[in-house]
């Protein structure tokens, strides 16, 4: 007899299942995520699999307890023991997969209580519902089972604890700062319902909370610096004046901690009574750009002369009743932001100002002093606040006022931009207005939209969330009188200081579109695209970082630094690196992407352009630790590492082993230089030996007489792999003509890796071919009306998953045109030394500005059949190596800043040194200043 009765069986299963759902709901939330990622299943199948797992686990546990407590009646419990072991193994595997997200939601204390309670509950169930058949074995069996379960619970607890402790070693690179905080995290008691207390997300998704505090000061301080953090975003007013329109960064300096901002509020203070008001938007869900803490919160810490203002229980708080979500379709799972509905009938008029009566609001709920879970340590914001370009009129086309007939109103933007649409209307009560852009379904996935419910009369509204596109689409109900339509443009705080202008408009448009695409993929972090994902994929980031050095002012370098520190800080316990990070719903390694990120084109390119050795020293241990996971055989060939997704590129004809060996060499090449910067000469020596080993064996293993191909590879010759062999320096000059033929006839690379194909042609000296291929490949994108570059070669290319129209990984040509066509590139860190070695190809004139960390470098180039002219304005603190192309090495004159002309064959002016002729260029070294070189054939 298995159990006393059928009701007993049903009671046991029901009670056990309810207990698991209530007490360890956060665990099941993460198991749901793991099942979804591993199988591709979506709700409700994930929920069904999860429920069945819980039900079966209860049954296994019950059967095991029954058998072990009554061995005489049932014999040795072989089946139930085996079943329990299998179930335990599955559970252990799930715990291993979700170890980081588990701890961010469940504290060790709570986990301990959960496991102990579960053990006691199982003991009680055994006592009342399991028929042992022999009272003599009843108590010992139950005691043994209870001890086993409690031990298992504490073992799991300690395992999770040790995993977190192990992982916490790496987030130290994010420069944590929290020791002197006096303020406490506060939140709203209104959001702590019974349902939310026992759910994985203690605060519901898309919650908007108002915080207020009245205070008095005798004298306005010269400076009043506030440290403020919110989960997830905030808007700040002082005395009714807007101070910060969008504060905070998406969570994720590492898997546990939170960013905070620093602001000087002194300009907004007044002698006497003052009011601070803050609106906090809690995303409430994990995404490909955000790690959800599960709880809304605010911390405000200000100490200045005559002013101490800290968030505490004296603050007033209220969940804003006008904000809510919108029904289907919802933004796709990659986005942290939600669609936002604002019901003007429920607005809290004037709550941001000093005269508002908040006596009916709740007192804030104390959530602890930092560092405290779930926000943990606080890390200073590493990038500027976002730039507000102000309210703007749309391009001509829509004249206001007019009365809506119910059709959509489409307003054009001057270019693809990050915007918040606004309107002023006259309407009756209760009508729905919809706002979205033409990129609402960028790449085929649903993005962000904003809706508004009208009140009676005249009213104005500005969407509180940013979206992007070339057009804004308003939908007003019939009869609404539209008084004005405008938008606010925002974006990363950097100027478009880089330029490239040639005599051929195609390359100018390509460069400018790449610059615009780069800018629109920058905000909290680098993004692959601003509509579908907003995720910091590191292959995209590495290309974007390289572009930013030529396109934007040095403030853009801070976003690169943030990206590097985040990549290192999210390293897994086993040394694996992965992206996108920050992320709450992705942890899969793309091996080649990681090699590209930590090596020559990623981390080292940052150092070469910035000279920032501190960041290199901070991320070097993570890069080294990751590279140690790769294996190389005795022949100097690198083994393919599957990782989570062994992605080499979009498209076809991917020679993955050839690509792997090229990217691995480039990673070692960059890491060797980073080791020297980090004062690790022994590491550099070992890495140098690996490089020499690969150099000796690479051609023997991959060169086939007319192209590079991996042994056993049966596809068409891979243009990417052959190009990367050149870029890495593995291909010898005698085989350049053969590789040129490959690159002139094979067209397999996506826009992402096309950059390296064109770069290889420049490196080999085939600059005309490089420009011709660039024009052939990007012709359709450049000719299109869009202001940005696409993800794939075609606008709706299914081969690239649909593709977006704003992917900065397609902007590598910007880097190449400035770096090779104009010839401007650093040769020593931080542009202390750089070169100008122009490869103009078919171009007759180029004007280029590079916004280096030393100042703007301005180069002008002109050539014709008879002469070549190079003008240079070089900033202080630099030395430049100037190259006059070999075909123009005849008579050379040099004009200095005073207009004096010098014959370089006889004498050179002070500040210029002749370096001789290397076969390709006649070279000179130039000190800072303005110079003009004129040479004739």
């Amino acid at each position: 007899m298995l159990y006393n009765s059928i009701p007993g069986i049903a009671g046991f299963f029901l009670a056990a299942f309810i207990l698991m759902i209530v007490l360890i709901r956060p665990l099941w939330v993460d198991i749901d995520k793991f099942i979804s990622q591993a199988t591709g299943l979506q709700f409700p199948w994930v929920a069904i699999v999860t429920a069945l797992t819980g039900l079966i686990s209860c049954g296994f546990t019950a059967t095991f307890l029954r058998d072990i407590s009554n061995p005489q009646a049932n014999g040795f419990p072989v089946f139930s023991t085996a079943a329990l072991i299998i179930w335990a193994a599955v559970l252990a595997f799930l715990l291993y997969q979700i170890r980081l997200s588990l701890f961010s939601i469940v504290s060790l204390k709570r986990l301990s209580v959960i496991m102990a309670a579960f053990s006691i509950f199982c003991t009680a169930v055994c006592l009342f519902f399991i028929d042992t058949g022999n009272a003599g074995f009843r108590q010992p069996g139950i005691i043994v089972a209870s001890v086993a379960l409690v031990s298992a619970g504490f073992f799991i607890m300690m395992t999770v604890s040790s995993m977190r402790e192990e992982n916490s070693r790496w987030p130290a690179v994010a420069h944590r700062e929290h020791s002197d905080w006096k303020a406490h995290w506060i939140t709203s008691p209104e959001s702590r319902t019974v349902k939310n207390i026992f759910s994985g997300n203690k605060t519901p998704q898309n919650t908007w909370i108002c915080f207020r505090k009245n205070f008095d000061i005798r004298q306005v301080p010269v400076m009043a610096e506030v440290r403020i953090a919110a989960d997830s975003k905030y808007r700040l007013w002082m005395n009714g004046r807007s101070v910060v329109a969008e504060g905070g960064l998406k969570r994720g300096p590492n898997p546990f901690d939170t960013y905070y901002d620093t602001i000087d509020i002194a300009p907004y203070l007044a002698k006497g009574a003052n009011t601070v008001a803050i609106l906090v938007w809690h995303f409430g869900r994990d995404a490909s750009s955000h790690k959800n803490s599960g709880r809304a919160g605010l911390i405000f810490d200000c100490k200045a002369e005559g002013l101490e203002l800290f968030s505490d229980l004296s603050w007033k708080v209220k969940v804003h009743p006008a904000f809510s979500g919108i029904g289907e379709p919802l933004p796709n799972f990659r986005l942290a932001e939600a669609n936002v509905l604002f019901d003007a009938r429920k607005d809290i008029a004037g709550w941001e100002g000093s005269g508002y009566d908040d006596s009916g609001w709740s007192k804030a709920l104390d959530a602890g002093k930092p560092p405290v879970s779930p926000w943990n340590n606080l890390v200073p914001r590493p990038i500027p606040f976002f730039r507000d370009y102000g309210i703007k009129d749309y391009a001509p086309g829509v004249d206001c006022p007019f009365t809506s007939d119910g059709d959509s109103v489409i307003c054009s933007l001057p270019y693809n931009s990050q915007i918040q649409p606004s309107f002023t209307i006259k309407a009756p009560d209760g009508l729905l207005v919809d706002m979205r852009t033409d990129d609402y379904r960028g790449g085929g996935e649903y993005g962000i939209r904003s809706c508004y419910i009208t009140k009676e009369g005249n009213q104005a509204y500005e969407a509180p969330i940013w979206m992007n596109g070339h057009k804004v689409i308003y939908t007003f109900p019939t009869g609404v009188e539209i008084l004005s339509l405008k938008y606010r443009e925002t974006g990363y705080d950097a100027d478009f200081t880089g330029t490239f202008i040639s005599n051929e408009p195609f390359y100018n448009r390509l460069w400018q579109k790449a610059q615009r695409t780069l800018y629109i993929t920058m905000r909290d972090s680098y993004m692959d695209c601003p509509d579908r994902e907003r995720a910091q994929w590191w292959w995209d980031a590495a290309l974007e970082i390289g572009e930013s050095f030529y396109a934007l002012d040095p403030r853009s370098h801070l976003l690169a630094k943030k990206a590097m520190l985040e990549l290192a800080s999210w390293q897994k316990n086993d040394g694996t690196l992965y992206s996108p990070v920050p992320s709450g719903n992705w942890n899969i390694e793309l091996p080649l992407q990681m090699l590209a990120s930590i090596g020559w084109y990623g981390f080292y390119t940052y150092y070469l352009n910035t000279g920032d050795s501190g960041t290199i020293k901070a991320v070097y241990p993570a890069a080294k630790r990751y590279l140690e996971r790769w294996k190389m055989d005795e022949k100097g060939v690198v083994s393919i590492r599957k990782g989570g997704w062994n992605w080499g590129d979009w498209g076809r004809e991917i020679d993955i082993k050839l690509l792997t060996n090229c990217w691995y060499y480039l990673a070692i090449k960059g890491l060797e230089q980073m080791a020297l910067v980090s004062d690790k000469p022994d590491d550099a020596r070992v890495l140098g030996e690996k490089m020499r080993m690969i150099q000796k064996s690479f051609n023997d293993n991959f060169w086939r007489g007319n192209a590079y191909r991996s042994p056993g590879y049966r596809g068409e010759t891979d243009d990417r792999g052959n190009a990367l062999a050149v870029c890495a320096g593995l291909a010898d000059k005698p085989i350049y003509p053969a590789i040129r033929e490959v690159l002139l006839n094979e067209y397999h690379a996506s826009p992402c890796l096309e950059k390296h194909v064109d770069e290889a042609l420049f490196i080999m000296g085939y600059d005309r071919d490089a420009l011709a291929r660039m024009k052939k490949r990007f012709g359709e994108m450049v000719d299109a009306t869009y202001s940005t570059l696409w993800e794939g070669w075609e606008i709706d290319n299914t081969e690239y998953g649909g593709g977006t129209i704003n992917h900065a990984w397609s902007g590598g040509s910007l880097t190449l045109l400035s770096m090779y066509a104009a010839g401007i590139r650093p040769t020593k860190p931080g542009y202390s030394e750089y070169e100008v070695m122009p490869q103009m190809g078919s171009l007759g004139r180029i004007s280029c500005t590079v916004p280096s960390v030393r100042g703007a470098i301005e180069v002008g180039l002109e050539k014709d059949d008879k002469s070549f002219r190079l003008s240079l304005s070089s900033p202080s603190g630099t030395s430049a190596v100037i190259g006059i192309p070999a075909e123009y090495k005849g008579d050379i004159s040099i004009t200095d800043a005073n207009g004096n002309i010098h014959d370089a064959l006889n004498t050179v002016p002070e500040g210029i040194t002749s370096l001789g002729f290397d076969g390709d260029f006649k070279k000179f070294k130039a000190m800072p200043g303005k110079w003009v070189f004129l040479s004739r054939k």
Side-chain angles (χ1 to χ4, degrees):
M1 182 177 181
L2 205 65
Y3 297 94
N4 284 330
S5 64
I6 296 299
I9 299 173
F12 168 78
F13 279 109
L14 181 61
F17 187 65
I18 290 174
L19 180 77
M20 296 181 72
I21 291 298
V22 170
L23 288 182
I24 53 175
R25 166 64 180 165
L27 174 61
W28 293 114
V29 167
D30 288 320
I31 292 177
D32 283 355
K33 292 176 185 175
F34 169 69
I35 294 173
S36 178
Q37 290 180 3
T39 65
L41 297 175
Q42 301 294 329
F43 184 85
W45 293 108
V46 172
I48 292 172
V49 171
T50 302
L52 287 175
T53 302
L55 197 63
I56 293 169
S57 68
C58 291
F60 284 164
T61 303
T63 306
F64 180 78
L65 289 172
R66 180 209 65 194
D67 290 350
I68 199 172
S69 62
N70 191 12
Q72 290 184 344
N74 298 283
F76 186 73
V78 176
F79 170 75
S80 59
T81 302
L84 188 62
I85 291 173
I86 293 171
W87 171 75
V90 171
L91 180 59
F93 176 71
L94 291 174
L95 284 171
Y96 176 76
Q97 293 291 334
I98 63 174
R99 58 195 182 278
L100 297 181
S101 54
L102 171 67
F103 192 85
S104 68
I105 297 175
V106 187
S107 67
L108 287 179
K109 181 178 179 181
R110 184 180 181 190
L111 185 61
S112 175
V113 171
I114 288 172
M115 296 308 300
F118 185 60
S119 301
I120 295 170
F121 177 80
C122 286
T123 301
V125 169
C126 286
L127 184 64
F128 290 103
F129 292 109
I130 298 178
D131 181 13
T132 65
N134 188 326
F137 289 97
R138 184 174 190 173
Q139 300 300 333
I142 292 174
I143 291 172
V144 169
S146 299
V147 171
L149 282 172
V150 172
S151 300
F154 279 101
F155 174 75
I156 294 172
M157 179 192 72
M158 295 307 297
T159 300
V160 174
S161 174
S162 64
M163 287 175 178
R164 180 180 186 251
E165 182 179 357
E166 171 75 12
N167 202 72
S168 294
R169 292 182 298 177
W170 291 104
V173 302
H175 308 302
R176 293 178 289 186
E177 179 183 312
H178 61 259
S179 58
D180 59 343
W181 288 78
K182 291 188 177 181
H184 283 228
W185 280 93
I186 55 176
T187 188
S188 168
E190 298 174 70
S191 64
R192 285 181 58 81
T193 64
V194 173
K195 176 182 177 181
N196 294 330
I197 289 173
F198 291 107
S199 69
N201 295 324
K202 299 182 182 68
T203 304
Q205 292 183 25
N206 198 18
T207 296
W208 297 70
I209 304 176
C210 306
F211 295 86
R212 277 177 54 89
K213 172 69 176 179
N214 296 316
F215 61 98
D216 294 315
I217 56 175
R218 293 182 179 181
Q219 191 68 37
V220 175
V222 175
M223 176 177 287
E225 193 172 79
V226 173
R227 291 179 298 174
I228 178 173
D231 193 341
S232 307
K233 292 278 185 174
Y234 70 89
R235 181 166 185 181
L236 169 65
W237 294 267
M238 294 297 303
N239 299 318
R241 296 171 60 193
S242 178
V243 180
V244 177
E246 183 187 332
L249 294 174
K250 293 178 178 179
R251 284 193 76 242
N254 54 62
F256 311 106
D257 299 335
T258 304
Y259 287 115
Y260 73 86
D261 297 343
T262 301
I263 312 160
D264 180 15
I265 61 170
Y268 303 90
L269 296 174
K271 185 178 180 179
N274 289 265
T275 300
V276 55
I278 302 170
L279 178 64
V280 171
W281 179 21
H282 178 65
F283 294 156
R285 73 170 188 169
D286 285 323
S288 297
S289 58
H290 175 70
K291 175 63 176 175
N292 181 33
S293 77
R295 193 176 190 187
L298 169 73
I299 188 166
F300 185 100
D301 191 289
C302 179
K303 185 175 182 180
E305 185 178 356
L307 172 62
E308 287 194 356
L309 183 60
F310 308 118
S311 51
D312 56 23
L313 296 178
S314 67
W315 285 53
K316 292 299 188 72
V317 60
K318 182 179 181 64
V319 173
H320 202 305
F323 288 99
S324 64
I326 307 171
E328 300 285 350
L330 302 175
N332 77 86
F333 72 94
R334 303 174 184 88
L335 297 172
E337 298 90 336
N339 296 326
V340 175
L341 171 66
F342 186 84
D343 189 339
R345 300 168 300 178
K346 301 177 181 179
D347 193 11
I348 312 173
W351 75 271
E352 310 94 338
S354 300
Y356 180 81
D357 181 8
D358 59 15
S359 59
W361 287 23
S362 302
K363 289 184 178 180
L365 184 69
D366 191 326
K369 185 178 178 181
V372 63
S373 179
W375 306 286
N376 305 312
N377 297 295
L378 291 167
V379 178
R381 180 188 183 111
I383 62 173
F385 284 94
F386 304 124
R387 179 177 295 184
D388 186 344
Y389 292 91
I391 294 292
K392 297 183 177 182
D393 293 317
Y394 291 104
V398 178
D399 296 324
C400 295
F402 66 94
T403 301
S404 172
D405 59 4
D407 291 337
S408 296
V409 181
I410 302 176
C411 301
S412 296
L413 297 164
Y415 41 74
N416 199 334
S417 49
Q418 298 172 3
I419 60 98
Q420 295 166 235
S422 65
F423 58 76
T424 304
I425 60 174
K426 183 178 181 181
D429 179 89
L431 300 181
L432 181 69
V433 178
D434 182 275
M435 293 172 283
R436 62 185 70 182
T437 72
D438 56 338
D439 271 1
Y440 173 60
R441 296 203 64 183
E445 303 278 0
Y446 287 108
I448 305 296
R449 58 194 170 103
S450 181
C451 290
Y452 176 88
I453 297 178
T454 62
K455 60 184 179 181
E456 182 73 31
N458 287 3
Q459 53 211 285
Y461 181 69
E462 179 181 310
I465 55 176
W466 71 272
M467 50 191 86
N468 77 282
H470 289 88
K471 299 179 186 296
V472 177
I473 304 168
Y474 295 89
T475 304
F476 295 99
T478 301
V480 172
E481 186 177 353
I482 301 165
L483 304 177
S484 70
L485 297 174
K486 297 179 182 292
Y487 70 96
R488 182 184 302 276
E489 181 183 355
T490 60
Y492 189 88
D493 188 21
D495 294 327
F496 288 42
T497 48
T499 63
F500 178 90
I501 301 172
S502 74
N503 62 304
E504 290 198 27
F506 172 85
Y507 299 102
N508 304 339
R509 291 197 304 271
L510 175 57
W511 197 98
Q512 290 159 6
K513 285 192 174 189
Q515 185 182 43
R516 171 56 54 185
T517 312
L518 167 66
Y519 186 70
I520 203 174
T521 54
M522 299 168 64
R523 202 171 176 98
D524 291 61
S525 60
Y526 281 110
M527 300 176 276
D528 62 335
C529 56
D531 38 29
R532 183 185 66 202
E533 298 185 40
R534 303 184 178 181
Q536 190 167 244
W537 292 96
W538 246 91
W539 216 316
D540 300 74
L543 286 161
E544 290 165 341
I545 289 169
E547 294 164 32
S548 70
F549 296 130
Y550 289 99
L552 304 172
D553 75 64
R555 281 172 294 184
S556 64
H557 305 174
L558 297 173
L559 195 62
K561 178 178 179 178
K562 174 179 181 286
M564 293 169 63
L565 291 172
E566 285 173 345
L567 183 62
S569 296
W570 281 76
Q571 187 169 42
K572 294 183 181 180
N573 300 326
D574 62 3
T576 300
L577 293 172
Y578 67 96
S579 70
V581 292
S583 179
N585 59 9
W586 183 272
N587 64 357
I588 295 175
E589 173 198 5
L590 278 69
L592 300 194
Q593 183 176 130
M594 291 299 95
L595 289 177
S597 303
I598 66 172
W600 191 258
Y601 286 106
F603 288 4
Y604 186 70
T605 290
Y606 170 83
Y607 174 62
L608 193 58
N609 280 271
T610 66
D612 178 7
S613 59
T615 298
I616 293 299
K617 291 177 180 179
V619 301
Y620 172 74
K624 177 192 174 187
R625 189 169 174 232
Y626 175 69
L627 204 62
E628 289 170 349
R629 295 189 57 79
W630 288 77
K631 306 298 181 185
M632 190 168 65
D633 65 23
E634 65 281 356
K635 296 181 180 179
V637 176
V638 181
S639 301
I640 291 177
R641 177 175 165 79
K642 292 184 178 180
W645 179 15
N646 194 17
W647 186 82
D649 190 17
W650 290 130
R652 303 182 181 90
E653 316 305 336
I654 301 171
D655 190 343
I656 198 70
K657 192 161 189 176
L658 174 60
L659 288 173
T660 298
N661 278 265
C662 290
W663 282 122
Y664 181 78
Y665 183 84
L666 282 162
I668 295 176
K669 187 176 180 180
L671 206 64
E672 180 196 33
Q673 297 301 311
M674 291 168 60
L676 295 173
V677 175
S678 302
D679 302 318
K680 304 288 184 182
D682 291 340
D683 290 356
R685 177 182 52 77
V686 172
L687 292 165
E689 290 173 356
K690 283 187 177 182
M691 288 175 62
R692 287 186 287 275
M693 185 177 181
I694 295 173
Q695 289 166 354
K696 290 179 181 179
S697 64
F698 185 79
N699 286 322
D700 291 340
N701 284 284
F702 294 100
W703 183 247
R704 298 292 174 262
N706 59 353
Y708 285 111
R709 296 175 62 91
S710 297
Y713 174 67
R714 297 290 181 263
E716 295 180 25
T717 298
D718 189 346
D719 51 348
R720 316 167 190 83
N722 281 265
L724 281 171
V726 174
C727 294
L730 290 167
D732 298 326
K733 285 188 177 182
I735 65 174
Y736 278 4
I739 296 178
R740 173 178 181 260
E741 289 302 310
V742 171
L743 302 188
L744 293 181
N745 292 283
E746 303 290 344
Y747 293 89
H748 308 301
S750 76
C752 170
L753 291 191
E754 180 66 21
K755 184 251 187 182
H756 301 295
V757 178
D758 295 338
E759 183 175 19
L761 288 168
F762 274 118
I763 290 172
M764 292 187 293
Y766 305 123
D767 41 327
R768 288 181 178 272
D769 295 333
L771 291 171
R773 175 162 174 144
M774 193 182 292
K775 194 169 190 176
K776 179 176 182 178
R777 293 290 259 167
F778 288 95
E780 187 177 354
M781 287 193 212
V782 171
D783 293 340
T785 58
Y786 295 113
S787 65
T788 46
L789 301 175
W790 314 337
E791 180 177 5
W793 292 117
E794 298 173 6
I795 194 64
D796 290 317
N797 195 332
T798 55
E799 186 175 344
Y800 299 95
T804 71
I805 62 166
N806 35 44
H807 241 71
W809 79 354
S810 300
S813 297
L814 180 155
T815 305
L816 300 181
L817 289 170
S818 298
M819 186 177 184
Y820 290 100
I824 308 167
R825 49 188 178 264
T827 52
K828 289 187 178 179
Y831 271 91
S832 59
E833 182 176 291
Y834 66 96
E835 63 183 20
V836 183
M837 300 289 167
Q839 295 175 262
M840 297 177 68
S842 59
L843 299 176
R845 186 176 66 256
I846 294 175
S847 174
C848 184
T849 303
V850 175
S852 81
V853 293
R854 305 270 177 171
I857 299 170
E858 298 176 356
V859 171
L861 303 167
E862 293 182 42
K863 71 170 186 175
D864 56 27
D865 292 339
K866 297 180 180 180
S867 64
F868 174 85
R869 183 178 187 274
L870 184 156
S871 64
L872 170 68
S873 177
S874 187
S876 61
T878 67
S879 64
V881 176
I882 310 300
I884 307 300
E887 58 185 305
Y888 298 100
K889 65 177 181 177
D891 296 337
I892 300 176
S893 65
I894 303 172
T895 304
D896 62 26
N898 297 318
N900 300 315
I901 301 175
H902 304 262
D903 183 354
L905 294 179
N906 298 315
T907 181
V908 294
E910 185 178 354
I912 298 291
T913 304
S914 177
L915 300 179
F917 180 64
D918 68 358
D920 296 317
F921 293 94
K922 170 66 176 177
K923 294 183 177 180
F924 298 88
K925 188 172 185 178
M927 292 296 102
K930 294 185 177 181
W931 308 96
V932 177
F933 295 79
L934 181 62
S935 179
R936 306 183 191 282
K937 286 189 175 179

